[in-house]
Amino acid sequence: MEANAGMVAGSHKRNEFVMIRHEGDSGPKMVKNFNGQECQICGDTVGLSATGDLFVACNECAFPVCRACYEYERKEGNKSCPQCKTRYKRHKGSPRVEGDEEEEGVDDLDNEFNYRHGNVKLGSKWQGEDVDLSSSSRHEPQHRIPRLTSGPQISGELPDATPDRHSIRSPSSGYVDPSMPVPVRIVDPSKDLNSYGLGSIDWKERVEGWKLKQDKNMVQMTNKYNEGKGDMEGTGSNGEDLQMADDARLPLSRIVPIPSNQLNLYRVVIILRLIILCFFFQYRVTHPVHDAYPLWLTSVICEIWFALSWLLDQFPKWYPINRETYLERLALRYDREGEPSQLAPIDVFVSTVDPLKEPPLVTANTVLSILAVDYPVDKVSCYVSDDGSAMLTFEALSETAEFARKWVPFCKKHNIEPRAPEFYFAQKIDYLKDKIQPSFVKERRAMKREYEEYKVRINALVAKAQKTPEEGWTMQDGTQWPGNNPRDHPGMIQVFLGHSGGLDTDGNELPRLVYVSREKRPGFQHHKKAGAMNALIRVSAVLTNGAYLLNVDCDHYFNNSKALREAMCFMMDPAFGRKTCYVQFPQRFDGIDLHDRYANRNIVFFDINLKGLDGIQGPVYVGTGCCFNRQALYGYDPVLTEADLEPNIVFKSCCGSRKKRKGGDKSYIDSKKRAMKRTESSVPIFNMEDVEEGIEGYEDERSLLMSQRSLEKRFGQSPIFIASTSMEQGGLPPSTDPASLLKEAIHVISCGFEDKTEWGKEIGWIYGSVTEDILTGFKMHARGWISIYCMPPRPAFKGSAPINLSDRLNQVLRWALGSVEILLSRHCPIWYGYSGRLKLLERLAYINTIVYPITSIPLIAYCVLPAICLLTGKFIIPEISNYAGMWFILLFISIFATGILELRWSGVGIEDWWRNEQFWVIGGTSAHLFAVFQGLLKVLAGIDTSFTVTSKASDDDGDFAELYVFKWTSLLVPPTTVLVINMVGIVAGVSYAVNSGYQSWGPLFGRLFFAFWVIAHLYPFLKGLMGRQNRTPTIVIVWSILLASIFSLLWVHIDPFTSPTQKAVQMGQCGVNC
């Protein structure tokens, strides 16, 4: 498919398909497939088992190991599979070793006691095979593993060697598949060779060949090898002990546990705080305030709800962890220099709607950072979804594709970071650091000039788009722009850059860049962003079909060019890659004011809450910066281990795994069988002829295969797309016509394609809420998938956030409204998914994400209580004894201790924590309250609220000028009211105390404390209302008003200009205290 070959547009229902310019014919390249079978330790053939079948040492990953090496690993080695680290089970005829007593169903007492005799016979049989294989039979692979389907291989870009399944290589090939870890075993010639299974006459020849192969793949180490899997021992020919390890067999990531001295103390404080809360509520409930009963009752109800909210927020943070990736091991295993890359293909999605609110230059920088990412160019495809069908976005993307030909080679040549030009050139750092090429300065200046000229062209397009012509927009060739009506237009696709065209200035290929605007017609429900993302899933499956998807907002650029490799360290990990639905990266932001007045960075959520969830079942999906497993989005179940398939018991959910059951119920056995069959189905289970013929036959896999009709009901009427859903490792069929693919791509983005299918219900992004991210992640976790939280040292992505108060509140309103919609839907975590495999603490976290807006009702009531107490002279707490005072003091100490210990293990600063507490009150008294009522109106009365795109406008009036802009919105009314009431209450309370004498000051301090607590939390909101006050700090203005009021009252009370005699005369009259 050639780049810039022309736009295609059309509508499937109207039978329209227009090709603006001619489309070339070239398909994806086919990589040579390598198959064979040999022991990956000693180079011998795997051989057969006693039943005549191919010997399989590990039932989990089928890593090819011969019987002799299997016995050695069990007897002398670490007793586990070199690839997946699963402990070897005892096969029939094998002697018991330590630990076998824990296994079930493998008793073979007769053969075990006669093992020595049987082993000699077996060894002689193998020796005969070795002699035979040392001659002509070595050149032809024997006993090929049967495929699960008949017909040709369905992969246009990937060989059978998959990242999570070890394929078997042909001994005749000199090619060493980097996806195949080569375990290590050092042979001691001084020992009996029969103990190694090396008794044949050509032993020396095979060992020499094995050594040559190891020279390329092995790394010698002189220090002790210990990765938690045991030691590896061996003896060299010189008699000295050598410690060796192969990086290709080491894990691609590891969990970095929180220090136990921090975590254990943190958990103890949580338990103590829970106990103190129980005693506190026991006192509060049993000691009512009779003269202020309504105030007391309101306060107790609010405090109980706050305690429940704290439990929902606190306990999902019980198992916080950190993770660390090893990019060099990933490269050694899947991306060795000079060999075809085995890294999985990835499709990157960028979504945009309104180019006037989301400036094209912002989107262009995101696209440029994707095209310049550090990943094989033939494995990356960028899809830009224009849901507003704006010609401005299309033309800006065309300019971006041209500029990318210069920008991408510059980035890769000089290895610059970040690779978004706007943010690279704006860095206030020494850009010459670590740069050694003499041409760098000259090339950087030239590239900066090129970028400035490119910006001018983009700005000209934006200026031109400010006024739409009456007849609509026209393309350069005179063709009418198909998307002039954003609510009624055909689907549009344009391939700007591709694998078969669009070379950069150095003559190298660029990643594929595709513009997509789905069809829209009146009368159809388009489901906003979730619908646009589902359209991208389908069109990308037809055109490139990457095994993994990564979505970013148009204002979130790649700050780390190795972000895709970071994600692949988890997704391509043999241990848990096939049960990981997505890898979530934290959101980081540019352009935030130094003190982060409105908690835009959201540090507490990203660095504390999500770390805690990572230790349970994984973080929630936050809408951007997330890499998905395509199979998880298709609604498939994960490949689970036996431990994962145990029934979802509350005890196991909270306290971890338990001892394996001797038996199980029928559902457990059935789910285990399904998982085992899915584990075996690592090659495509469909080919094109199977799909077209209705997928008939295959008696052995009948439980896996669906009929054509059921597949169409699930995925839609597209044979090409249906075929792509079964290809777990991505890629396209070998014989595909680009023109037919484009026509099919137009079909799958038509507005009626999803009718009567499971899109948005069980497949793709889930519909039913404006926060589709929470719902989508929840459905995946309920099916048993896990997610991973990846926090590389250099942030993977950075974006922009609204720093203006009104824009920030509108953003929070949209999030809270989505949570209320989920709360009132059938997908509510309180009652949905109990038949699945969602862990209890993970469920509590999801419940917390949807019920938090309701906290606004008790919060606003609690914030008004101090003012009412000051105005009425009442209080919500009776006079307390020393015993009761102790519980109050302990409660406050436990609250602060919990916060301090969280900051300690998470590394979050005290200022970020305090800003989060402040905005929790600001959002709770404004946006969350509005979201509750709007959600009720939408669900009960059917009154929908419009979705407002958050503005991503740049700051053109100076640093943080937008921070001081005042934009009126009704969201400002409730917190302003709370502020005014508390200020009035403070003035009234102080004036009452002044007039009543010193005995009234004691009770006043308790009321004043709560009132100042409310004002301190709303202080950033007050600064936003005041705006830029000619550099006069807002705190000075606030305290000036309060102190002026108090001193005025004192002045009136003292009355220094009245003589004592006049005061005595006035005392006889009715005074203030009359």
Side-chain angles (χ1 to χ4, degrees), residues 559-573:
N559 183 65
N560 185 347
S561 63
K562 298 184 183 296
L564 296 182
R565 294 178 180 268
E566 295 277 354
M568 290 302 102
C569 284
F570 302 103
M571 286 297 195
M572 301 183 71
D573 190 284

Side-chain angles (χ1 to χ4, degrees), residues 193 198 200-211:
L193 300 182
L198 300 173
S200 61
I201 58 175
D202 61 337
W203 169 79
K204 290 184 179 181
E205 177 185 348
R206 294 205 313 273
V207 169
E208 290 300 325
W210 173 78
K211 286 183 177 180

Side-chain angles (χ1 to χ4, degrees), residues 635-708:
Y636 290 132
D637 292 330
V639 179
L640 301 176
T641 61
E642 291 188 14
D644 298 322
L645 289 172
E646 290 185 7
N648 188 3
I649 300 175
V650 173
F651 179 81
K652 180 176 181 295
S653 300
C654 295
C655 307
S657 60
R658 34 179 223 160
K659 189 175 179 180
K660 190 171 70 173
R661 301 169 12 141
K662 297 261 181 176
D665 54 12
K666 185 176 183 300
S667 61
Y668 165 68
I669 297 173
D670 291 343
S671 60
K672 180 178 176 181
K673 287 181 179 178
R674 288 195 301 269
M676 290 300 293
K677 291 200 175 199
R678 177 159 167 76
T679 305
E680 296 167 359
S681 176
S682 54
V683 298
I685 58 176
F686 304 116
N687 59 31
M688 294 297 297
E689 288 142 11
D690 296 333
V691 174
E692 293 172 359
E693 294 173 6
I695 314 180
E696 300 175 355
Y698 308 112
E699 294 293 331
D700 294 337
E701 288 85 24
R702 185 174 295 174
S703 61
L704 282 176
L705 302 180
M706 299 183 236
S707 67
Q708 173 73 8

Side-chain angles (χ1 to χ4, degrees), residues 967-1008:
K967 300 178 182 179
W968 172 252
T969 174
S970 56
L971 296 175
L972 303 176
V973 175
T976 304
T977 305
V978 172
L979 268 173
V980 172
I981 290 176
N982 277 276
M983 288 184 178
V984 172
I986 291 174
V987 174
V990 172
S991 63
Y992 177 81
V994 169
N995 289 328
S996 301
Y998 293 105
Q999 70 277 3
S1000 61
W1001 284 96
L1004 176 65
F1005 283 124
R1007 305 184 184 97
L1008 288 177

